[in-house]
Amino acid sequence: MRRLRAPVLAAVWAAAVGSVAVGGGGTMAAALLATATAVTAAALATRQRGRGRGGTESRWSAPGEPRAAVPVTAVPPTGAPVVGAPTIGASDRRSRRAVARSIGRFEARELAINPWFGAGVGICVLGLIAFASIADPEPTDLADAAAMTPFLAHPLVGLTIVAAHRNATRSQRDNTTELVEACPADNGVRTAGFLRAGWVPVVALGAFFAAYLVIVAATGPRAGGSGGAVAMAAAHIVSGLLLGAGGVALGIALARWARHSLVPIVAVVAVGFVSLRLGDGAPGEYRPRMLLSTFGPLSDEVVLTTTQAWVHVAWLAAISAATATAAMVARERA
């Protein structure tokens, strides 16, 4: 099926070029733009999976000698176990994991080239260009920059939720539900395969955070970091990465419970509203509820301790795992 990938991403990169031209971006902005364009071109080059010449689909060949029919032993009416009947063991579990991995590879590629996810990556690129081209009168040090990473992750995470939901409801939009249900893989295996695509936004956010911190290091003040500062910075970065994986889990869970296309958008708005209320507060005043916000503390002059930062990481990991579990529990409704 053909999708509008190139037009959407081309518009994003055109906007990036325009921002560089208007803002007078320097060498770093041009390098970031060139890197993003190269990555996008590589993604677009693989969008035709097995279509036309050079496809990767295996050729069909006629079967060889017919296999002998496998005898099926009838179950006695009394419900007694059948002697010699196969049991579901380790080999069956390995087979299910192999199918889930195969689905996960396909869905990871579909998520990476989804227009909604591409728009989120484009927003990250525009943010990097803005950081590199606009001179900040008060340069930010690396510690403060790391504390901002969960906040900066939200645009990409929000669009990832929409993209994951659309991928999980693809069969409904394409009217291929009966075909999908006829496949040997059950809903549990397919859901596990969808969830395996969670590494895609994590990698994208990792690249975004690394580029952002490099820009801050190049333009900000020189400052040495103690062991506690490094641990706190690591906690903030891990929080931002967990948001990417949790976004995929939330999109899949929403698709399993509610398939309407407006559901993920409403969920993103609702989560953002609640998180903003939880993270807000008076300047310099810390509240424990701030750790429940996906943004973290948003009030001025509130700096978390190392323990509080890792508690926030644990909270995000817990709600991400709970969301993935909700997606698996709802597999019978899919």
Side-chain angles (χ1 to χ4, degrees), residues 128-144:
L128 292 175
I129 293 173
F131 296 143
S133 60
I134 299 176
D136 191 351
E138 297 181 359
T140 304
D141 60 16
L142 286 176
D144 294 337

Side-chain angles (χ1 to χ4, degrees), residues 75-90:
V75 179
T78 58
V82 179
V83 178
T87 59
I88 299 176

Side-chain angles (χ1 to χ4, degrees), residues 16-311:
V17 172
S19 66
V20 172
V22 174
T27 304
M28 184 174 295
L32 291 172
L33 179 61
T35 302
T37 305
V39 173
T40 304
L44 293 176
T46 60
R47 72 185 189 276
Q48 298 294 336
R49 300 170 306 279
R51 299 174 66 94
R53 296 180 178 178
T56 58
E57 292 185 356
S58 59
R59 296 178 178 271
W60 179 88
S61 59
E65 295 295 330
R67 297 180 180 179
V70 178
V72 179
T73 306
V75 179
T78 58
V82 179
V83 178
T87 59
I88 299 176
S91 61
D92 183 74
R93 290 192 293 270
R94 286 195 298 268
S95 176
R96 290 172 63 87
R97 286 196 295 268
V99 173
R101 286 195 298 269
S102 179
I103 295 174
R105 288 191 295 268
F106 173 81
E107 293 301 334
R109 183 169 53 184
E110 286 293 304
L111 179 60
I113 60 180
N114 188 286
W116 288 89
F117 183 79
V121 173
I123 293 175
C124 294
V125 173
L126 291 177
L128 292 175
I129 293 173
F131 296 143
S133 60
I134 299 176
D136 191 351
E138 297 181 359
T140 304
D141 60 16
L142 286 176
D144 294 337
M148 286 290 295
T149 51
F151 180 85
L152 296 175
H154 276 72
L156 177 58
V157 174
L159 292 173
T160 297
I161 294 172
V162 180
H165 184 276
R166 289 186 61 81
N167 284 349
T169 57
R170 186 187 307 115
S171 61
Q172 181 187 18
R173 295 194 312 276
D174 297 344
N175 293 324
T176 58
T177 304
E178 294 182 357
L179 178 63
V180 172
E181 291 178 351
C183 295
D186 58 21
N187 288 326
V189 174
R190 291 197 296 271
T191 301
F194 279 111
L195 292 173
R196 284 178 176 269
W199 64 267
V200 175
V202 173
V203 171
L205 287 172
F208 171 55
F209 293 162
Y212 168 61
L213 294 177
V214 167
I215 293 174
V216 172
T219 59
R222 301 289 181 180
S226 62
V230 172
M232 186 181 303
H236 291 308
I237 294 173
V238 172
S239 295
L241 297 177
L242 282 173
L243 289 174
V248 173
L250 180 57
I252 303 304
L254 292 173
R256 289 294 180 246
W257 289 93
R259 297 182 174 182
H260 197 280
S261 58
L262 290 178
V263 169
I265 299 176
V266 174
V268 169
V269 174
V271 172
F273 176 79
V274 174
S275 292
L276 288 173
R277 295 294 299 272
L278 289 174
D280 195 13
E285 182 181 2
Y286 167 77
R287 296 288 183 87
R289 59 175 170 80
M290 294 178 177
L291 299 180
L292 304 180
S293 171
T294 56
F295 293 96
L298 297 175
S299 58
D300 296 333
E301 301 177 1
V302 172
V303 179
L304 297 179
T305 64
T306 303
T307 301
Q308 291 168 345
W310 284 107
V311 168

